[in-house]
Amino acid sequence: MHSSGYERLQSQVIPGYSSLARLSVALLAASPVAQADGVEVMVAGCGTGAELLEAMAQRPDWRLTALDPSAEMLQEARQRLGEQATVQWRQSTVESLVDEAGMAGRFAGALSVLVLQSLPDDGSKLAFLTALARCLQPGAQLVLVDLMQTSLPSLEDQLEHAWQGFQRASGLDASSQEGLHPIGLARLTSLVNAAGFGDPARVFQALGFEGFLLQRLS
């Protein structure tokens, strides 16, 4: 699927998706560390490049590392953005990247949009978050957006049906959360604390999709 089709599909599946990249970049750009000129910022799981396009529009001075394990996604993003001197393209995972020389503590900020939800909570989520924290400078922030479990179990069925209704109203055959691994806020807090971040601050919510600001501890 080409980037335009992918973005259109995501906007039909996820309430508020069309604003997520813009909001995520604006939040990170206002952070104490990443607001400095010419800093390095990571886009973890860059997909077809929505966050990269916004970063280049809002902060053309940033030096971006676009990271994705999928060669197909990276190719789509590169075609979409064209060759840019300020973007370094890496087919890799954060867990592999952080072990390379010079990567620990390198970045002034990071974006991770709709990535953690695809990882099972069998150590994979913690490994991902820990690698992100290790890549960041002390005090740097991560914008994390994912599908979450509700803190009120009695609302789970209603939210699931509402999400499916939203998709049908957007012209899609409704899909479920099968294949995704959402967690609740208490579990997320435990994981990010163990990884080296402070408590998550919620900055976005639309049905089950939530966005958080996380700050790496010193």
Side-chain angles (χ1 to χ4, degrees):
M1 181 180 295
H2 292 293
S3 59
S4 59
Y6 175 83
E7 297 294 332
R8 185 168 56 252
L9 175 62
Q10 293 294 75
S11 68
Q12 291 172 309
V13 170
I14 301 172
Y17 179 80
S18 61
S19 300
L20 269 181
R22 186 164 65 250
L23 173 62
S24 298
V25 171
L27 285 165
L28 190 60
S31 69
V33 180
Q35 67 181 349
D37 290 338
V39 297
E40 291 195 68
V41 169
M42 177 196 297
V43 181
C46 69
T48 56
E51 292 79 41
L52 294 168
L53 280 174
E54 276 296 335
M56 293 181 65
Q58 294 186 38
R59 290 297 302 267
D61 60 294
W62 278 353
R63 290 173 291 154
L64 300 168
T65 294
L67 192 69
D68 204 289
S70 167
E72 183 179 3
M73 285 290 190
L74 282 177
Q75 181 63 25
E76 287 281 350
R78 293 187 77 157
Q79 290 178 352
R80 188 178 184 185
L81 272 72
E83 291 302 320
Q84 302 289 341
T86 56
V87 181
Q88 181 183 25
W89 303 94
R90 298 295 303 269
Q91 184 184 351
S92 180
T93 63
V94 184
E95 296 90 326
S96 296
L97 185 76
V98 73
D99 289 331
E100 296 182 12
M103 288 298 174
R106 176 171 176 170
F107 296 94
L111 301 164
S112 173
V113 178
L114 307 177
V115 178
L116 189 68
Q117 64 187 30
S118 65
L119 302 175
D121 192 12
D122 58 359
S124 300
K125 289 184 188 294
L126 179 58
F128 175 73
L129 291 166
T130 300
L132 280 171
R134 287 181 56 204
C135 284
L136 293 177
Q137 301 169 19
Q141 291 183 348
L142 164 68
V143 177
L144 184 76
V145 182
D146 281 290
L147 179 66
M148 297 284 291
Q149 288 179 346
T150 177
S151 59
L152 296 173
S154 61
L155 289 179
E156 285 183 3
D157 287 345
Q158 183 177 349
L159 288 176
E160 172 73 11
H161 288 137
W163 185 35
Q164 293 177 357
F166 173 82
Q167 293 174 69
R168 286 191 294 270
S170 299
L172 290 180
D173 292 331
S175 62
S176 70
Q177 298 177 11
E178 185 177 353
L180 300 179
H181 306 277
I183 54 176
L185 180 58
R187 179 57 177 159
L188 177 66
T189 301
S190 176
L191 287 173
V192 301
N193 290 166
F197 292 102
D199 289 348
R202 185 186 287 111
V203 291
F204 170 88
Q205 183 170 8
L207 293 179
F209 294 89
E210 301 183 36
F212 301 91
L213 269 178
L214 306 175
Q215 185 163 311
R216 184 192 166 178
L217 301 176
S218 299

PDB file of all heavy atoms in Angstrom, residues 173-196:
ATOM      1  N   ASP A 173     -14.841  -1.669   6.515  1.00  0.00           N
ATOM      2  CA  ASP A 173     -15.297  -2.831   7.259  1.00  0.00           C
ATOM      3  C   ASP A 173     -14.587  -2.792   8.602  1.00  0.00           C
ATOM      4  O   ASP A 173     -13.359  -2.679   8.655  1.00  0.00           O
ATOM      5  CB  ASP A 173     -14.950  -4.131   6.520  1.00  0.00           C
ATOM      6  CG  ASP A 173     -15.734  -4.284   5.235  1.00  0.00           C
ATOM      7  OD1 ASP A 173     -16.862  -3.754   5.173  1.00  0.00           O
ATOM      8  OD2 ASP A 173     -15.211  -4.906   4.293  1.00  0.00           O
ATOM      9  N   ALA A 174     -15.330  -2.858   9.691  1.00  0.00           N
ATOM     10  CA  ALA A 174     -14.750  -2.672  11.015  1.00  0.00           C
ATOM     11  C   ALA A 174     -13.757  -3.786  11.344  1.00  0.00           C
ATOM     12  O   ALA A 174     -14.016  -4.960  11.116  1.00  0.00           O
ATOM     13  CB  ALA A 174     -15.843  -2.626  12.071  1.00  0.00           C
ATOM     14  N   SER A 175     -12.606  -3.370  11.875  1.00  0.00           N
ATOM     15  CA  SER A 175     -11.604  -4.325  12.343  1.00  0.00           C
ATOM     16  C   SER A 175     -11.597  -4.332  13.860  1.00  0.00           C
ATOM     17  O   SER A 175     -12.119  -3.431  14.510  1.00  0.00           O
ATOM     18  CB  SER A 175     -10.219  -3.936  11.816  1.00  0.00           C
ATOM     19  OG  SER A 175      -9.835  -2.661  12.306  1.00  0.00           O
ATOM     20  N   SER A 176     -10.983  -5.360  14.430  1.00  0.00           N
ATOM     21  CA  SER A 176     -10.892  -5.469  15.881  1.00  0.00           C
ATOM     22  C   SER A 176      -9.456  -5.183  16.315  1.00  0.00           C
ATOM     23  O   SER A 176      -8.603  -4.813  15.515  1.00  0.00           O
ATOM     24  CB  SER A 176     -11.305  -6.860  16.334  1.00  0.00           C
ATOM     25  OG  SER A 176     -10.333  -7.811  15.933  1.00  0.00           O
ATOM     26  N   GLN A 177      -9.195  -5.393  17.601  1.00  0.00           N
ATOM     27  CA  GLN A 177      -7.862  -5.172  18.139  1.00  0.00           C
ATOM     28  C   GLN A 177      -7.001  -6.430  18.048  1.00  0.00           C
ATOM     29  O   GLN A 177      -5.922  -6.478  18.642  1.00  0.00           O
ATOM     30  CB  GLN A 177      -7.956  -4.702  19.589  1.00  0.00           C
ATOM     31  CG  GLN A 177      -8.685  -3.387  19.759  1.00  0.00           C
ATOM     32  CD  GLN A 177      -8.835  -2.989  21.213  1.00  0.00           C
ATOM     33  OE1 GLN A 177      -8.233  -3.565  22.101  1.00  0.00           O
ATOM     34  NE2 GLN A 177      -9.663  -1.988  21.454  1.00  0.00           N
ATOM     35  N   GLU A 178      -7.453  -7.421  17.308  1.00  0.00           N
ATOM     36  CA  GLU A 178      -6.698  -8.659  17.178  1.00  0.00           C
ATOM     37  C   GLU A 178      -5.317  -8.370  16.600  1.00  0.00           C
ATOM     38  O   GLU A 178      -5.169  -7.625  15.632  1.00  0.00           O
ATOM     39  CB  GLU A 178      -7.443  -9.645  16.279  1.00  0.00           C
ATOM     40  CG  GLU A 178      -6.782 -11.017  16.192  1.00  0.00           C
ATOM     41  CD  GLU A 178      -7.591 -11.983  15.348  1.00  0.00           C
ATOM     42  OE1 GLU A 178      -8.716 -11.622  14.940  1.00  0.00           O
ATOM     43  OE2 GLU A 178      -7.099 -13.092  15.103  1.00  0.00           O
ATOM     44  N   GLY A 179      -4.290  -8.953  17.208  1.00  0.00           N
ATOM     45  CA  GLY A 179      -2.928  -8.732  16.744  1.00  0.00           C
ATOM     46  C   GLY A 179      -2.241  -7.579  17.435  1.00  0.00           C
ATOM     47  O   GLY A 179      -1.032  -7.392  17.256  1.00  0.00           O
ATOM     48  N   LEU A 180      -2.981  -6.781  18.203  1.00  0.00           N
ATOM     49  CA  LEU A 180      -2.402  -5.691  18.971  1.00  0.00           C
ATOM     50  C   LEU A 180      -2.331  -6.088  20.445  1.00  0.00           C
ATOM     51  O   LEU A 180      -3.034  -6.991  20.889  1.00  0.00           O
ATOM     52  CB  LEU A 180      -3.230  -4.415  18.808  1.00  0.00           C
ATOM     53  CG  LEU A 180      -3.372  -3.889  17.384  1.00  0.00           C
ATOM     54  CD1 LEU A 180      -4.236  -2.633  17.360  1.00  0.00           C
ATOM     55  CD2 LEU A 180      -2.004  -3.601  16.764  1.00  0.00           C
ATOM     56  N   HIS A 181      -1.477  -5.389  21.188  1.00  0.00           N
ATOM     57  CA  HIS A 181      -1.242  -5.751  22.583  1.00  0.00           C
ATOM     58  C   HIS A 181      -1.333  -4.507  23.468  1.00  0.00           C
ATOM     59  O   HIS A 181      -0.328  -4.081  24.046  1.00  0.00           O
ATOM     60  CB  HIS A 181       0.126  -6.416  22.727  1.00  0.00           C
ATOM     61  CG  HIS A 181       0.345  -7.581  21.806  1.00  0.00           C
ATOM     62  ND1 HIS A 181      -0.102  -8.850  22.092  1.00  0.00           N
ATOM     63  CD2 HIS A 181       0.937  -7.646  20.587  1.00  0.00           C
ATOM     64  CE1 HIS A 181       0.222  -9.668  21.098  1.00  0.00           C
ATOM     65  NE2 HIS A 181       0.857  -8.958  20.174  1.00  0.00           N
ATOM     66  N   PRO A 182      -2.532  -3.922  23.595  1.00  0.00           N
ATOM     67  CA  PRO A 182      -2.668  -2.727  24.438  1.00  0.00           C
ATOM     68  C   PRO A 182      -2.512  -3.065  25.914  1.00  0.00           C
ATOM     69  O   PRO A 182      -2.828  -4.181  26.349  1.00  0.00           O
ATOM     70  CB  PRO A 182      -4.081  -2.238  24.128  1.00  0.00           C
ATOM     71  CG  PRO A 182      -4.822  -3.471  23.692  1.00  0.00           C
ATOM     72  CD  PRO A 182      -3.811  -4.319  22.977  1.00  0.00           C
ATOM     73  N   ILE A 183      -2.023  -2.106  26.669  1.00  0.00           N
ATOM     74  CA  ILE A 183      -1.890  -2.254  28.122  1.00  0.00           C
ATOM     75  C   ILE A 183      -2.561  -1.058  28.780  1.00  0.00           C
ATOM     76  O   ILE A 183      -2.853  -0.050  28.129  1.00  0.00           O
ATOM     77  CB  ILE A 183      -0.413  -2.346  28.563  1.00  0.00           C
ATOM     78  CG1 ILE A 183       0.383  -1.141  28.028  1.00  0.00           C
ATOM     79  CG2 ILE A 183       0.199  -3.663  28.102  1.00  0.00           C
ATOM     80  CD1 ILE A 183       1.830  -1.108  28.489  1.00  0.00           C
ATOM     81  N   GLY A 184      -2.799  -1.154  30.086  1.00  0.00           N
ATOM     82  CA  GLY A 184      -3.412  -0.066  30.825  1.00  0.00           C
ATOM     83  C   GLY A 184      -2.387   0.935  31.327  1.00  0.00           C
ATOM     84  O   GLY A 184      -1.172   0.715  31.249  1.00  0.00           O
ATOM     85  N   LEU A 185      -2.884   2.031  31.872  1.00  0.00           N
ATOM     86  CA  LEU A 185      -1.996   3.097  32.333  1.00  0.00           C
ATOM     87  C   LEU A 185      -1.098   2.634  33.470  1.00  0.00           C
ATOM     88  O   LEU A 185       0.079   3.003  33.522  1.00  0.00           O
ATOM     89  CB  LEU A 185      -2.827   4.306  32.771  1.00  0.00           C
ATOM     90  CG  LEU A 185      -2.035   5.514  33.286  1.00  0.00           C
ATOM     91  CD1 LEU A 185      -1.051   6.015  32.236  1.00  0.00           C
ATOM     92  CD2 LEU A 185      -2.983   6.615  33.718  1.00  0.00           C
ATOM     93  N   ALA A 186      -1.633   1.840  34.394  1.00  0.00           N
ATOM     94  CA  ALA A 186      -0.810   1.372  35.513  1.00  0.00           C
ATOM     95  C   ALA A 186       0.357   0.530  35.011  1.00  0.00           C
ATOM     96  O   ALA A 186       1.497   0.688  35.483  1.00  0.00           O
ATOM     97  CB  ALA A 186      -1.665   0.574  36.495  1.00  0.00           C
ATOM     98  N   ARG A 187       0.086  -0.361  34.051  1.00  0.00           N
ATOM     99  CA  ARG A 187       1.160  -1.188  33.502  1.00  0.00           C
ATOM    100  C   ARG A 187       2.150  -0.336  32.707  1.00  0.00           C
ATOM    101  O   ARG A 187       3.368  -0.534  32.798  1.00  0.00           O
ATOM    102  CB  ARG A 187       0.563  -2.280  32.615  1.00  0.00           C
ATOM    103  CG  ARG A 187       1.603  -3.206  31.957  1.00  0.00           C
ATOM    104  CD  ARG A 187       2.481  -3.879  32.974  1.00  0.00           C
ATOM    105  NE  ARG A 187       3.418  -4.811  32.343  1.00  0.00           N
ATOM    106  CZ  ARG A 187       4.547  -5.221  32.911  1.00  0.00           C
ATOM    107  NH1 ARG A 187       4.884  -4.792  34.121  1.00  0.00           N
ATOM    108  NH2 ARG A 187       5.331  -6.067  32.289  1.00  0.00           N
ATOM    109  N   LEU A 188       1.648   0.615  31.923  1.00  0.00           N
ATOM    110  CA  LEU A 188       2.542   1.503  31.174  1.00  0.00           C
ATOM    111  C   LEU A 188       3.451   2.269  32.132  1.00  0.00           C
ATOM    112  O   LEU A 188       4.658   2.392  31.896  1.00  0.00           O
ATOM    113  CB  LEU A 188       1.738   2.483  30.320  1.00  0.00           C
ATOM    114  CG  LEU A 188       2.581   3.508  29.542  1.00  0.00           C
ATOM    115  CD1 LEU A 188       3.435   2.810  28.489  1.00  0.00           C
ATOM    116  CD2 LEU A 188       1.690   4.566  28.893  1.00  0.00           C
ATOM    117  N   THR A 189       2.881   2.783  33.215  1.00  0.00           N
ATOM    118  CA  THR A 189       3.677   3.524  34.187  1.00  0.00           C
ATOM    119  C   THR A 189       4.782   2.655  34.764  1.00  0.00           C
ATOM    120  O   THR A 189       5.938   3.085  34.896  1.00  0.00           O
ATOM    121  CB  THR A 189       2.776   4.057  35.317  1.00  0.00           C
ATOM    122  OG1 THR A 189       1.767   4.902  34.758  1.00  0.00           O
ATOM    123  CG2 THR A 189       3.586   4.844  36.331  1.00  0.00           C
ATOM    124  N   SER A 190       4.443   1.410  35.094  1.00  0.00           N
ATOM    125  CA  SER A 190       5.443   0.481  35.620  1.00  0.00           C
ATOM    126  C   SER A 190       6.567   0.237  34.617  1.00  0.00           C
ATOM    127  O   SER A 190       7.751   0.247  34.966  1.00  0.00           O
ATOM    128  CB  SER A 190       4.773  -0.842  35.996  1.00  0.00           C
ATOM    129  OG  SER A 190       5.710  -1.799  36.415  1.00  0.00           O
ATOM    130  N   LEU A 191       6.202   0.046  33.356  1.00  0.00           N
ATOM    131  CA  LEU A 191       7.197  -0.238  32.326  1.00  0.00           C
ATOM    132  C   LEU A 191       8.095   0.963  32.058  1.00  0.00           C
ATOM    133  O   LEU A 191       9.320   0.825  31.952  1.00  0.00           O
ATOM    134  CB  LEU A 191       6.506  -0.671  31.036  1.00  0.00           C
ATOM    135  CG  LEU A 191       5.886  -2.067  31.021  1.00  0.00           C
ATOM    136  CD1 LEU A 191       5.088  -2.281  29.742  1.00  0.00           C
ATOM    137  CD2 LEU A 191       6.962  -3.152  31.158  1.00  0.00           C
ATOM    138  N   VAL A 192       7.508   2.151  31.930  1.00  0.00           N
ATOM    139  CA  VAL A 192       8.335   3.316  31.603  1.00  0.00           C
ATOM    140  C   VAL A 192       9.238   3.688  32.778  1.00  0.00           C
ATOM    141  O   VAL A 192      10.373   4.132  32.576  1.00  0.00           O
ATOM    142  CB  VAL A 192       7.492   4.524  31.139  1.00  0.00           C
ATOM    143  CG1 VAL A 192       6.676   4.153  29.895  1.00  0.00           C
ATOM    144  CG2 VAL A 192       6.597   5.061  32.231  1.00  0.00           C
ATOM    145  N   ASN A 193       8.757   3.505  33.999  1.00  0.00           N
ATOM    146  CA  ASN A 193       9.606   3.742  35.165  1.00  0.00           C
ATOM    147  C   ASN A 193      10.790   2.777  35.177  1.00  0.00           C
ATOM    148  O   ASN A 193      11.935   3.176  35.445  1.00  0.00           O
ATOM    149  CB  ASN A 193       8.825   3.613  36.455  1.00  0.00           C
ATOM    150  CG  ASN A 193       7.822   4.728  36.697  1.00  0.00           C
ATOM    151  OD1 ASN A 193       6.952   4.612  37.552  1.00  0.00           O
ATOM    152  ND2 ASN A 193       7.909   5.833  35.958  1.00  0.00           N
ATOM    153  N   ALA A 194      10.526   1.508  34.888  1.00  0.00           N
ATOM    154  CA  ALA A 194      11.596   0.511  34.843  1.00  0.00           C
ATOM    155  C   ALA A 194      12.581   0.793  33.718  1.00  0.00           C
ATOM    156  O   ALA A 194      13.775   0.479  33.825  1.00  0.00           O
ATOM    157  CB  ALA A 194      11.000  -0.890  34.681  1.00  0.00           C
ATOM    158  N   ALA A 195      12.091   1.408  32.639  1.00  0.00           N
ATOM    159  CA  ALA A 195      12.953   1.707  31.489  1.00  0.00           C
ATOM    160  C   ALA A 195      13.836   2.928  31.717  1.00  0.00           C
ATOM    161  O   ALA A 195      14.834   3.105  31.005  1.00  0.00           O
ATOM    162  CB  ALA A 195      12.094   1.927  30.246  1.00  0.00           C
ATOM    163  N   GLY A 196      13.469   3.784  32.681  1.00  0.00           N
ATOM    164  CA  GLY A 196      14.276   4.964  32.949  1.00  0.00           C
ATOM    165  C   GLY A 196      13.577   6.278  32.686  1.00  0.00           C
ATOM    166  O   GLY A 196      14.228   7.335  32.636  1.00  0.00           O
TER     167      GLY A 196
END
